[in-house]
Amino acid sequence: MTNSPIGRRALLRGAAALAALPALAACGTGTSRSTGASVSTGSSAKTVAVRDSGGAYGEALKKAIYDPFTKETGITVQVANLDGAQVLAQINQGRPQVDLINITMMDGAKFIRENALEKLDLDRIKNLKIAKLPENQITEYAVSHSFYAQCMAYRTDAFDGRKPESWADFWDAKAFQGGRSMCNPDADLPELEFALLADGVPMDQLYPLDVDRAFKVLDRIRSGVKKYWDSGPLPGMLLTRQEVTMTTVWHGRLADLVKQGVPVAAQLNGARRQFQGYAIAKGAANLDAAYQLFDYSMHPDVQARLAMAYPSNPSSPLAYDKISEEVRNGLAGAPQYYDKGFDADIDWWLKNEAAVSKRWLGWARG
């Protein structure tokens, strides 16, 4: 299963074709030091089942959130590494295997259309007031806990000491020579915004996207694109093997490469943000425990602890003050970088993703 650090665009594809659903994979209780994050009390439930995407991100969640939560509350966290299509099919069949769902806010909107989520009682998530989340990240059915940024990455040894500053530079194959890689819609949304930014559209005037104009700009770079990546590690591999000099990438995927000494860096000008959130499955068996884990996860201390374990960008602005300077400076959500990027317009993409992805696939085939 291909995982992004925080979410995938293909989560809901193929739900109707699911014939069998896997069982939960249990996650043991933790021994990590707990924080002072408040947790609601009064539940008799001793287990909560949560969906996340597994991999290194799943291990970080276990270390930073699940194990400390178990130690503090006595509630065992069971983890299901299911994709969204599986979770949705389970809920539609009236037998959800998870209580709390870790999901992109965009895919959460798709779940809402399927009546697959519980309407939240926000009074039971008391740490929301402490976290001071932006209002647009709190909805009736899901609340953001973090975001990931899709941006430009490049080899620092490729351009005689120069570094690309904008998407226009990404498109400039004369000044910044070498192959390119861009995202396949199986991994994330088509990168129309980057094309429009390269063509001079101001960042605050991107939406509604001018699709025709974006594809004309994409035409200018198509011959230089050596690979369309469909998994999180692939852009880093292409850079490491010097198959390309520049690529789009999920920003969090660069941290390990830098630690390994690979000469790569990110350019966060024009980065596209997509938010990840929590939602509760319709018919959740352990509703009280789900609210307790939901509440616990929203506290700024807990969000900061996750960011120290994995390059995840907390949605709480207060969390960044609790992260070491070294780690904070490597996050796309750090104060010095935040205004350089923009939020993906979920409403626009919900209406247009299918048509744009179909057109993109035809375009990529030439």
Side-chain angles (χ1 to χ4, degrees):
M1 187 169 72
T2 302
N3 296 315
S4 81
I6 311 184
R8 301 182 309 158
R9 291 271 37 87
L11 284 178
L12 303 183
R13 296 189 180 107
L18 288 172
L21 300 172
L24 288 173
C27 172
T29 57
T31 57
S32 301
R33 180 176 62 85
S34 64
T35 70
S38 63
V39 179
S40 305
T41 58
S43 171
S44 60
K46 295 300 180 183
T47 300
V48 59
V50 58
R51 178 269 168 189
D52 68 45
S53 58
Y57 180 55
E59 287 300 314
L61 288 168
K62 182 180 184 296
K63 177 182 177 181
I65 300 179
Y66 303 154
D67 286 354
F69 173 78
T70 296
K71 183 176 181 180
E72 187 163 328
T73 66
I75 298 172
T76 299
V77 179
Q78 291 182 315
V79 176
N81 300 145
L82 307 175
D83 68 26
Q86 293 170 310
V87 176
L88 184 59
Q90 292 171 354
I91 296 172
N92 286 340
Q93 293 169 10
R95 53 187 185 95
Q97 293 189 20
V98 296
D99 307 301
L100 191 64
I101 307 172
N102 196 345
I103 194 171
T104 66
M105 296 293 278
M106 182 168 172
D107 285 322
K110 297 176 182 178
F111 271 56
I112 293 169
R113 294 191 304 195
E114 296 286 333
N115 193 30
L117 301 178
E118 294 282 348
K119 187 173 182 179
L120 295 175
D121 180 354
L122 295 177
D123 289 337
R124 299 182 68 175
I125 312 172
K126 302 185 185 304
N127 283 323
L128 284 182
K129 294 182 179 179
I130 298 173
K132 298 188 182 302
L133 266 62
E135 289 186 6
N136 66 343
Q137 297 307 319
I138 302 173
T139 74
E140 290 184 315
Y141 293 91
V143 176
S144 167
H145 58 69
S146 62
F147 72 86
Y148 70 97
Q150 199 163 340
C151 66
M152 178 199 314
Y154 61 95
R155 286 193 63 95
T156 57
D157 59 356
F159 310 122
D160 297 326
R162 293 173 299 139
K163 63 179 182 179
E165 299 287 351
S166 67
W167 289 111
D169 290 340
F170 188 91
W171 256 255
D172 190 346
K174 292 182 179 180
F176 296 92
Q177 296 182 5
R180 307 292 197 257
S181 180
M182 297 185 74
C183 178
N184 183 302
D186 281 342
D188 213 319
L189 296 171
E191 296 167 330
L192 269 59
E193 293 97 334
F194 302 156
L196 293 172
L197 289 170
D199 205 39
V201 177
M203 195 165 61
D204 61 355
Q205 297 177 29
L206 281 170
Y207 299 100
L209 299 181
D210 186 333
V211 176
D212 290 338
R213 179 177 178 180
F215 274 97
K216 288 180 181 178
V217 180
L218 287 168
D219 284 340
R220 302 204 302 259
I221 202 173
R222 180 167 52 188
S223 63
V225 178
K226 305 304 181 184
K227 180 74 175 179
Y228 295 105
W229 56 270
D230 57 5
S231 67
L234 187 52
M237 293 171 58
L238 295 171
L239 287 169
T240 300
R241 298 194 299 242
Q242 301 188 56
E243 293 183 32
V244 301
T245 58
M246 301 172 75
T247 180
T248 61
V249 68
W250 291 318
H251 181 256
R253 290 285 182 170
L254 294 177
D256 285 343
L257 295 179
V258 173
K259 289 179 182 178
Q260 294 166 17
V262 180
V264 296
Q267 176 52 259
L268 287 165
N269 286 333
R272 181 174 68 186
R273 290 186 292 263
Q274 294 189 66
F275 285 81
Q276 185 88 358
Y278 284 120
I280 296 178
K282 192 80 169 182
N286 303 296
L287 187 62
D288 288 343
Y291 269 111
Q292 290 188 64
L293 180 55
F294 200 143
D295 184 34
Y296 183 83
S297 301
M298 298 308 302
H299 195 282
D301 288 350
V302 177
Q303 291 193 24
R305 189 167 58 204
L306 177 59
M308 293 290 289
Y310 187 90
S312 172
N313 301 282
S315 54
S316 169
L318 301 184
Y320 292 90
D321 292 334
K322 305 173 184 297
I323 300 170
S324 71
E325 182 177 2
E326 179 182 3
V327 173
R328 184 173 63 245
N329 288 342
L331 297 177
Q336 65 266 36
Y337 303 131
Y338 195 84
D339 290 342
K340 296 178 180 291
F342 63 93
D343 296 346
D345 188 321
I346 289 178
D347 291 336
W348 190 91
W349 275 112
L350 283 171
K351 295 175 183 176
N352 296 281
E353 179 185 9
V356 170
S357 294
K358 181 179 179 180
R359 180 171 175 178
W360 186 95
L361 291 170
W363 170 84
R365 288 192 296 264

